[in-house]
Amino acid sequence: MTVTPHCDEARPGDGLVKAGGIVFIAGAVATLATMAPLFLDVDPFPPYAWAVCMLMGVGFAISAAGVLRSAAAQRKAARASQA
């Protein structure tokens, strides 16, 4: 008999996935903000504003680390239940 976690319980990696999603959204908003001057025919933002757009990739990497951590914990639990 296996015990499945309830949806209300926090599992390993959940916090990383949530944090990665927030960072990704911040990067997406920054990307929209830095691209807008190109279409609105106004002065572009300085280069450091473009660097903030890299948060999309950082957020994706953080979320991927959370997914991998969750998968590793599930594998470990499955092996422990088989032994």
Side-chain angles (χ1 to χ4, degrees), residues 26 53 68 80-81:
C53 297
L68 292 176
S81 69

Side-chain angles (χ1 to χ4, degrees), residues 3-4 7-8 18 20 25 30 32 35-36 49-50 53 59 61 63 66 72 74:
V3 177
T4 57
C7 293
D8 295 340
K18 289 178 185 178
I25 290 171
L32 290 174
M35 295 296 287
W50 289 93
C53 297
S63 292
Q74 288 178 3

Side-chain angles (χ1 to χ4, degrees), residues 29-46 49-50:
V29 170
T31 300
L32 290 174
T34 53
M35 295 296 287
L38 298 175
F39 297 106
L40 300 175
D41 197 31
V42 295
D43 292 334
F45 287 108
W50 289 93

Side-chain angles (χ1 to χ4, degrees), residues 27 31 49-59:
T31 300
W50 289 93
V52 177
C53 297
M54 298 301 146
L55 287 176
M56 287 178 68
V58 172

Side-chain angles (χ1 to χ4, degrees), residues 3 6 15 28 61-62 66 80:
V3 177
H6 297 289
I62 293 170

